[in-house]
Amino acid sequence: LIPGAASGSYYGALVRPSSGGTQTQLFCKSGYVISGIQVSRRSDQPFSQGFRFNCSPMNSDGTVGAVQETREIVNVSTLSTDYNNFSCPSGQAAISLDASTANYVRDVGITCAKPAPYSSGAQTILGAGPGFPVNDASSCSSSSKNTAFVTGVNAYAAAGLDGLQAICTPFKF
């Protein structure tokens, strides 16, 4: 049971190359899924200093609506003009948080899927921020019979992003 998350939610794998940071859990509203991210494109630090995610409604027929809200995990001196935006293709939502790591999380991407009928998109190979190659992921277990999407993020952050973990919620259509 994840406090604050929808019933049946679970954690994907923890991607935490650093032991630093303070834990923060942020969720989309109930019935919403992550459909896009915003990542700082600055690469002058060994960690990402800006990470946000966008939430869209998951409709009962398995369609994904337009972005309704944005949640911010970390922002250290990151201006709105410092962000790169990555959105899932229309009608898709995130099934994985993909990370470029070294000693910290340096960049973040997402892998998307169409909910109904289920169809996974291509695995992300570069982060959305500075464009570093992805080498780790926190994924939801999804298939045609059990479809789960990323509905929140369990993160560790201070001066930058130290770790992240997908909060996954199953949906039935």
Side-chain angles (χ1 to χ4, degrees):
L1 184 66
I2 301 172
S7 177
S9 294
Y10 61 91
Y11 291 114
L14 176 62
V15 176
R16 191 171 185 201
S18 165
S19 61
T22 301
Q23 183 180 17
T24 302
Q25 289 193 106
L26 292 177
F27 309 95
C28 294
K29 290 193 289 192
S30 180
Y32 281 53
V33 292
I34 293 179
S35 60
I37 57 173
Q38 301 170 23
V39 184
S40 173
R41 72 175 140 268
R42 295 182 327 189
S43 60
D44 58 328
Q45 297 293 328
F47 38 72
S48 177
Q49 290 191 296
F51 175 54
R52 303 172 178 161
F53 60 88
N54 302 325
C55 300
S56 297
M58 175 70 79
N59 300 315
S60 60
D61 63 356
T63 58
V64 179
V67 171
Q68 300 293 317
E69 61 186 9
T70 300
R71 300 272 190 245
E72 186 168 80
I73 295 289
V74 63
N75 180 340
V76 179
S77 304
T78 304
L79 305 173
S80 59
T81 55
D82 291 334
Y83 284 94
N84 281 346
N85 297 302
F86 177 84
S87 297
C88 290
S90 180
Q92 296 188 20
I95 57 169
S96 179
L97 299 175
D98 307 310
S100 174
T101 65
N103 294 325
Y104 303 93
V105 177
R106 302 177 331 141
D107 204 351
V108 181
I110 53 176
T111 297
C112 305
K114 180 181 174 193
Y118 181 79
S119 174
S120 178
Q123 176 75 34
T124 300
I125 58 171
L126 298 175
F132 293 129
V134 166
N135 62 352
D136 208 344
S138 181
S139 303
C140 300
S141 300
S142 292
S143 68
S144 58
K145 296 187 186 314
N146 181 19
T147 307
F149 290 88
V150 184
T151 57
V153 179
N154 179 43
Y156 295 84
L161 195 54
D162 294 288
L164 56 76
Q165 186 173 33
I167 297 172
C168 305
T169 303
F171 286 86
K172 295 197 184 304
F173 309 107

